[in-house]
Amino acid sequence: MYLLGYDIGSSSVKVCLIEASSGKIVATDFSPKKEMKIVALNPGWAEQNPYDWWTNLKLAHEAVMHQAQINPEDIKGIGITWQMHGLILVDKDQNLLRSSIIWCDSRAVPYGEKAFQEIGPEKCLSHLLNSPGNFTASKLAWVKENEPEIFEKIDKIMLPGDYIAMKLSGEIGVTVEGLSEGIFWDFKNNCISEDVCNHYGIPRSFFPEIVPTFGIQSTVSKVVAAELGLKEGTPISYRAGDQPNNALSLNVFNPGEIASTAGTSGVVYGVLDKIDYDKLSRVNTFAHVNHTPEDIRLGVLLCINGTGILNSWLKHNFATSLSTYGDMNELASLSPIGSKGLSIVPFGNGAERVLENNEVNCSMHGINFNIHSKGDILRAAQEGIVFSYEYGMDIMRNMGIDINVIRAGNANMFLSSIFRQSLATVSNAVIELYDTDGAAGAARAAGMGIGFYANSEEAFASLEKIAIIEPEHEKRDQYLEAYSSWNGYLKKVM
């Protein structure tokens, strides 16, 4: 028995097939091999054609099935995860009305800011748990005002994963998690937000049927079964946005459990068991994959734009004599904790929500030409990224999230011993590294959705733990002193 996972990213579509009983990956592939095109017709815009996602899904799916050489009838469930916050519009015949306005498109910022003030900051935060911001609802408001001829033709609105499910089954649905990431969900009243709909003038008929995150949402149609070589009626039994799904992939379901990523940008995602929010809206809060009104599970999402991109920038512009990131890490390791008093504030990748949308840029502080070298700068960069995480995690702690264990995939900045040891010690949390990804997690979740796994413990029993990094308690004072110095510089530039 097998389970399929589809991960719809903005760079590529990844497909993973796992054997259900063992949880082992049988085959995996992605398409395209070069990044998918993002169209920017104006500064700050970002669009993709959803049909490109479907085309690349079919290519990656075909490669996986070729690798696996299994009987398609043995595939018993499909899970889907996607790039969050995108807007897809279709007419009554399920035809696309325009390209998708994707997550990194910023054109809707003024619409979200206006809604936040007119609905009321306190009401937005207490009911939506977020400012409407630049999320899906605000993107739809932009379409209404700027493309009224398209708005008039809308039959249904969707998130990217909903579109893929529609292509597979011919049916349109949406989850509460999806509605919450679009800022359409009222958590106090457990329904689609009347405030948002009334403010933006969104007809209720635009919203598809609400389907469960885990469960038989729809099934593969006869036409698509023939096209993909699947069995007609194969259940689509799970879907969620990429950050909740990344947490699921790391077996993060319960209060106090934390998932993290550290690529170009950095994410810390923690689970909360009460309706709460940050009064300054410096973090986002969405329904987690296992949220219900009776058993509250919210995902508090800290996103820091300027993290791994700093390390990448240094490699390509400063440490050009070093061949690999491993070489950079080795040179940085020769510098002591605190980088001899050198601090780097890493926020050089645009406005930061964690800094109340201030754009402070990246800056270096305390450099001394007589004592500092290339290795000190490389270490200060990694420490600065760690300190930005700790700054954000303090906000999460103030919301009631205990951070004792951080789970992450063995990738990107977590490959650096300096980064992970510094993060473990500063946060005083154990870091657990795993060999997993979003597509594999979605496949396991599909097994939960069809009831093959009784619970998350059973679904993730075979999840492979690669390493455990314990805090260095005897060195924590040194790290905290460096963090305090870094925090002081941050306050000066904000």
Side-chain angles (χ1 to χ4, degrees), residues 8 24 27 65 94 145 154 183 194 199 204 238 316 320 352 360 456 490 494:
I8 316 303
K24 298 298 183 183
M65 296 301 287
Q94 298 186 356
E145 182 170 310
I154 295 172
I183 318 300
E194 292 188 8
H199 175 81
R204 306 304 190 275
Y238 164 81
H316 293 102
T320 53
E352 294 282 0
V360 303
S456 59
L490 174 62
M494 277 184 66

Side-chain angles (χ1 to χ4, degrees), residues 352-408:
E352 294 282 0
R353 191 178 188 96
V354 72
L355 303 180
E356 299 177 55
N357 292 319
N358 285 314
E359 189 167 350
V360 303
N361 295 316
C362 181
S363 54
M364 187 183 303
H365 304 269
I367 192 165
N368 185 313
F369 301 138
N370 298 308
I371 66 170
H372 288 128
S373 65
K374 184 181 291 186
D376 299 316
I377 292 173
L378 294 176
R379 181 175 187 112
Q382 293 206 36
E383 289 182 342
I385 295 168
V386 166
F387 296 156
S388 70
Y389 275 54
E390 176 64 12
Y391 181 88
M393 286 191 290
D394 270 340
I395 297 169
M396 298 172 72
R397 292 184 186 100
N398 290 333
M399 293 176 66
I401 296 179
D402 293 325
I403 300 176
N404 299 314
V405 177
I406 298 172
R407 295 175 184 155

Side-chain angles (χ1 to χ4, degrees), residues 221-283:
S221 69
K222 182 178 182 179
V223 171
V224 172
E227 188 175 11
L228 295 182
L230 291 172
K231 180 183 177 183
E232 180 185 359
T234 302
I236 300 159
S237 52
Y238 164 81
R239 62 181 184 263
D242 55 9
Q243 292 304 330
N245 181 76
N246 179 65
L248 168 141
S249 303
L250 294 162
N251 196 21
V252 169
F253 286 87
N254 299 308
E257 295 177 342
I258 304 292
S260 183
T261 60
T264 299
S265 59
V267 167
V268 179
Y269 183 101
V271 180
L272 189 64
D273 60 355
K274 61 180 179 178
I275 302 294
D276 203 355
Y277 55 90
D278 174 50
K279 293 179 174 58
L280 298 177
S281 198
R282 294 168 294 180
V283 294

